[in-house]
Amino acid sequence: MARRFTPKIITTNDLLEGDVIYLTADGSWTRRFSDAKLFLEQAEAEAALARIETRQDIHVGAYLADAETGIDGRPQPVHFREQFRATGPSNYFHGKQAETGDVQVQ
Amino acid sequence: MYRYSEFDDAFVRARVAEFRDQVNRRINGSLTEEEFKPLRLKNGLYLQLHAYMLRVAIPYGTLDSRQMHQLAHIAEVWDKGYGHFTTRQNIQFNWPKLADVPDMLEALADVSMHAIQTSGNCIRNVTADHFAGAADDEIEDPRPTAELLRQWSTDHPEFQYLPRKFKIAVSGSPNDRAVTRAHDIGIRAVRGKGDETGYEILVGGGLGRTPMIGKVIRSFLPKDDLLPYMEAILRVYNLSGRRDNKYKARIKILVHETGLDELKDQIETEFTARRRVFPGVNQRLLESLNAHFAPPEFVDAESSEYELRRTRDPLFRTWCDTNLNRHRDPNLAIVTISLKPVAGTPGDATADQMRTIADLAKSFAHDEIRVSHEQNIILPHVPKAFLPRIHDRLKRSGLATANIGLISDIIACPGMDYCALATARSIPIAQEISQRFDELRLERKIGPLKIKISGCINACGHHHVGHIGILGLDRAGVENYQITLGGDATETAAIGKRPGPGFSAEELIPALERLLDAYLTIRLSGNETFLQCYRRLGDQPFKTALYPDSARKAA
Ligand code: SF4
């Protein structure tokens, strides 16, 4: 039997800011993990990744990351690395935890 | 100190202009990331976990106040008001924006600094003993040699695409404070017959996935022969080093696979040929460089103020006992400013702290500042009379932590708080250790101890050569910390050994407490350091302390 597909989100770093961003359901970008689109099908996730990889003028190094649905029904990270990317460093209150707002993408 | 020549300045400015153009082309879409990445890396610009990171070279860790002020300025204008000093005597800015980086580089060029060759498979920033020119055990100042190597290696056309990165460290003293044995090439000043100074050349040291201690490939190299000999080593490595596997591409693997003797023959053959191309150029250059590093004029200052304060102020006395080293002039002291406050981030300094350090260096310390690979700042030439005033000012800026060489003077790489390659965090571990042992008030009782922490196998935190090394790993999606014991970064270099399985973040601090409790119980006296005790007894008693359950099962 094929292994069950772990749901994914698409994440990358913003070209200008370097900040972590996530693909949303309407094809725009957000800085919040919880606003990312959760892909439940592998084929759909991979197709979306291939599509956005052509937009290198916006972001750098897109990839699929494991996610799960939290108690609030929104996606949350599975691995601790994604947790840190979604929050910011633990030694200072810098990065995402200090400044969350949606990225304006042209 | 060395000041840029017109040639250096024009070269650096041209690189900034070139990179500005490359950044513009990346932003307007004419360059893809694939095309741009090698270009940005050549200028020290990484993309990390949360942001870009700019790594700035501080050649052999030497700065003056003007440069330190400029680093503070850069931290404030284009970053979040601080910088991180690294184990390669560099500084990293963690939050630059892509479009601002050319301006940052321009600001660096204004004070003869740059980020060239801080990344990529080239010869990286040459490091040196941070006590250079000041230490009382010094045979010679290693910095003219390091500067010679910097000039020779910068933009060297033959060595821009080596199989892998290449790191050189230079020490001028028998006591090795530059970790020369863990570098691709280590250079140590030695005295030959007839008191002539030359170099001992070590090759093939390195940490990372396959840690190795460098081997002596030449026990005495006349100074004149340095550059042709370096070219010979690099040439042999460039041609024969493995390019098929990134993890086997460092020169240490070539040394290991080829054998020292065989490699030595190849290098000597190459050297004989190269030497003919270097008729004395080396020596003339070195002489002119020596003048740049001439020691400042030390005046005999009255030091009664220092003596008086020592007797009256216990805090000052404690700080002196841990943070001062002997200067070759008895009227002076070498001051180490700790960047390891209790529960702080090792190696970080705020812009204000950088300014305080710059001002102190300018007013009281012959305008010289060093960055140590142990992530502290050194004022190498301080007349003792000024020590009380310096201590007062450091205290006001949160820089007077008296812990050099003790358990809280931890090396820690950025780990998964910043680094894209990390497998676990290192900073919070350093913070917890320093906090816990401060609470226990055990730091002074434990005495000299070097803890070094890396957030992945790349070992930027030098964990293999820590008396206690800690390596952060990802074990099935959980941070896990592997301990090594008995490592040593000095002239008696050794790679630490793993006593057993790793610990979770929660288990780690109690495990260290057990380990150090055991040490305090079994050491011969208060004078036997942790490392000496480990060497005397081997790892068994420490294993038992770390893994009491398995010890009980075995019994
Ligand atoms: S040791 Fe690993 S985690 Fe730490 S700075 Fe180096 S590459 Fe990054």
Side-chain angles (χ1 to χ4, degrees):
Chain A
M1 225 181 78
R3 271 185 59 200
R4 243 191 93 217
F5 176 70
T6 310
K8 299 279 189 293
I9 52 96
I10 291 180
T11 179
T12 179
N13 288 76
D14 179 72
L15 170 67
L16 296 175
E17 307 267 313
D19 193 8
V20 176
I21 53 177
Y22 307 95
L23 188 70
T24 62
D26 65 6
S28 67
W29 297 95
T30 172
R31 287 172 191 247
R32 287 201 205 101
F33 197 104
S34 56
D35 291 340
K37 172 175 170 58
L38 191 67
F39 291 90
L40 302 172
E41 302 286 332
Q42 181 160 10
E44 192 198 354
E46 279 166 9
L49 181 65
R51 250 192 332 273
I52 68 112
E53 267 174 346
T54 59
R55 293 306 306 274
Q56 287 216 1
D57 52 331
I58 293 176
H59 60 83
V60 185
Y63 62 92
L64 300 173
D66 289 352
E68 61 196 7
T69 311
I71 196 158
D72 57 358
R74 310 177 83 179
Q76 62 183 34
V78 172
H79 192 274
F80 62 87
R81 185 177 195 269
E82 289 308 323
Q83 181 63 58
F84 300 149
R85 281 180 85 240
T87 315
S90 48
N91 60 333
Y92 300 118
F93 192 66
H94 285 163
K96 285 221 162 357
Q97 54 203 340
E99 43 192 82
T100 335
D102 287 344
V103 190
Q104 292 303 309
V105 175
Q106 54 285 48
Chain B
M1 67 188 265
Y2 179 74
R3 298 241 173 251
Y4 271 15
S5 64
E6 274 168 44
F7 169 79
D8 294 320
D9 190 57
F11 171 77
V12 170
R13 300 269 177 200
R15 273 297 279 272
V16 175
E18 185 185 68
F19 189 56
R20 190 181 291 282
D21 180 54
Q22 290 161 346
V23 168
N24 286 338
R25 285 190 287 147
R26 175 68 183 103
I27 291 174
N28 74 23
S30 349
L31 287 176
T32 63
E33 183 59 21
E34 204 184 329
E35 290 162 335
F36 180 64
K37 189 177 175 185
L39 302 174
R40 68 168 158 80
L41 288 177
K42 279 216 166 295
N43 291 283
L45 186 64
Y46 287 71
L47 182 57
Q48 295 287 41
L49 221 49
H50 315 289
Y52 287 98
M53 178 272 279
L54 183 67
R55 179 182 293 158
V56 177
I58 301 175
Y60 33 89
T62 296
L63 290 167
D64 61 16
S65 59
R66 198 174 63 112
Q67 293 172 317
M68 190 62 117
H69 270 294
Q70 190 76 332
L71 294 177
H73 172 74
I74 290 171
E76 229 153 43
V77 176
W78 293 291
D79 206 273
K80 293 191 190 291
Y82 74 100
H84 175 74
F85 291 98
T86 78
T87 54
R88 301 225 64 253
Q89 299 181 312
N90 293 318
I91 183 169
Q92 296 182 171
F93 293 106
N94 286 326
W95 303 94
K97 307 264 187 284
L98 179 58
D100 291 337
V101 174
D103 291 342
M104 296 170 83
L105 294 177
E106 194 84 54
L108 288 168
D110 289 345
V111 293
S112 303
M113 294 180 79
H114 60 73
I116 298 167
Q117 286 184 213
T118 59
S119 172
N121 294 336
C122 54
I123 301 172
R124 301 286 189 87
N125 185 31
V126 177
T127 52
D129 183 351
H130 42 267
F131 291 169
D136 71 338
D137 58 355
E138 194 165 76
I139 295 170
E140 67 166 27
D141 188 335
R143 290 173 304 157
T145 301
E147 174 56 26
L148 178 71
L149 292 167
R150 186 193 71 82
Q151 294 192 12
W152 158 79
S153 63
T154 301
D155 229 23
H156 192 304
E158 190 178 337
F159 305 133
Q160 292 301 303
Y161 293 95
L162 297 167
R164 197 79 176 85
K165 59 186 162 188
F166 203 90
K167 299 177 183 175
I168 305 178
V170 192
S171 159
S173 300
N175 296 306
D176 187 356
R177 289 174 290 262
V179 209
T180 58
R181 280 170 172 75
H183 281 76
D184 295 283
I185 293 181
I187 299 175
R188 302 180 54 236
V190 287
R191 280 195 220 289
K193 296 181 202 100
D195 232 25
E196 170 205 5
T197 313
Y199 306 113
E200 179 186 72
I201 308 292
L202 299 138
V203 72
L207 303 175
R209 186 170 298 245
T210 320
M212 291 198 188
I213 298 295
K215 299 185 174 71
V216 178
I217 192 150
R218 247 310 182 111
S219 52
F220 188 86
L221 182 75
K223 295 186 78 165
D224 269 4
D225 290 339
L226 182 67
L227 291 188
Y229 198 77
M230 290 294 113
E231 294 231 338
I233 298 177
L234 264 301
R235 178 136 233 249
V236 168
Y237 168 59
N238 204 15
L239 293 176
S240 315
R242 286 181 59 171
R243 290 174 191 265
D244 60 321
N245 180 342
K246 179 170 151 186
Y247 299 115
K248 302 202 163 170
R250 294 290 285 271
I251 195 172
K252 62 190 173 189
I253 305 293
L254 184 67
V255 174
H256 184 70
E257 288 182 351
T258 314
L260 189 67
D261 291 338
E262 162 65 26
L263 202 69
K264 191 177 164 134
D265 287 347
Q266 291 177 18
I267 289 169
E268 290 294 333
T269 309
E270 193 58 48
F271 169 60
T272 315
R274 292 253 156 171
R275 197 175 181 207
R276 281 185 232 120
V277 212
F278 277 96
V281 175
N282 183 348
Q283 196 54 18
R284 280 203 303 280
L285 238 176
L286 198 54
E287 268 162 30
S288 76
L289 290 177
N290 278 332
H292 286 283
F293 295 96
E297 285 217 11
F298 303 132
V299 280
D300 286 358
E302 234 271 292
S303 64
S304 56
E305 201 185 326
Y306 160 69
E307 303 295 349
L308 196 67
R309 177 73 82 91
R310 259 195 87 98
T311 53
R312 289 191 178 160
D313 176 352
L315 266 184
F316 177 71
R317 192 166 55 239
T318 310
W319 178 77
C320 290
D321 289 345
T322 42
N323 293 39
L324 300 188
N325 278 78
R326 283 232 305 265
H327 194 281
R328 60 196 169 82
D329 182 323
N331 292 310
L332 282 83
I334 302 172
V335 171
T336 301
I337 300 171
S338 171
L339 297 185
K340 323 282 176 69
V342 173
T345 302
D348 277 10
T350 65
D352 282 344
Q353 290 178 324
M354 291 184 215
R355 291 199 178 99
T356 299
I357 293 167
D359 291 342
L360 289 174
K362 177 96 179 163
S363 312
F364 303 120
H366 297 279
D367 205 10
E368 278 213 36
I369 303 163
R370 307 283 168 71
V371 179
S372 76
H373 78 271
E374 289 175 316
Q375 301 179 288
N376 292 311
I377 301 287
I378 319 290
L379 301 177
H381 307 300
V382 182
K384 284 183 179 162
F386 296 138
L387 288 169
R389 262 177 282 176
I390 288 180
H391 185 246
D392 290 342
R393 297 269 282 275
L394 291 175
K395 243 182 357 200
R396 284 206 294 274
S397 301
L399 288 168
T401 314
N403 64 345
I404 299 306
L406 302 177
I407 189 169
S408 62
D409 183 11
I410 299 169
I411 289 187
C413 79
M416 206 182 272
D417 285 304
Y418 298 91
C419 180
L421 301 171
T423 41
R425 289 174 297 176
S426 17
I427 293 170
I429 300 298
Q431 292 175 310
E432 278 172 48
I433 294 173
S434 88
Q435 187 151 24
R436 182 64 186 144
F437 285 89
D438 182 63
E439 285 161 11
L440 294 172
R441 300 266 169 254
L442 276 179
E443 176 154 80
R444 267 154 223 288
K445 192 166 175 202
I446 292 168
L449 180 66
K450 304 221 183 243
I451 297 189
K452 302 181 198 274
I453 312 174
S454 304
C456 82
I457 194 73
N458 288 336
C460 304
H462 295 186
H463 65 275
H464 297 111
V465 290
H467 301 166
I468 299 176
I470 299 172
L471 166 62
L473 294 169
D474 171 355
R475 282 276 175 268
V478 181
E479 288 171 295
N480 187 276
Y481 295 90
Q482 210 167 68
I483 288 181
T484 46
L485 298 176
D488 177 2
T490 69
E491 60 286 351
T492 45
I495 303 289
K497 283 208 201 88
R498 232 178 79 196
F503 297 90
S504 71
E506 299 75 53
E507 293 165 346
L508 180 66
I509 309 294
L512 290 174
E513 276 184 55
R514 291 197 300 277
L515 179 77
L516 290 164
D517 267 351
Y519 155 64
L520 290 175
T521 316
I522 58 185
R523 68 179 175 186
L524 287 179
S525 72
N527 293 328
E528 190 181 45
T529 65
F530 177 83
L531 187 63
Q532 288 164 345
C533 184
Y534 176 86
R535 284 186 170 159
R536 176 172 60 87
L537 295 170
D539 62 4
Q540 201 48 54
F542 300 100
K543 251 188 186 163
T544 312
L546 283 172
Y547 308 101
D549 292 343
S550 50
R552 234 172 280 137
K553 252 176 252 157

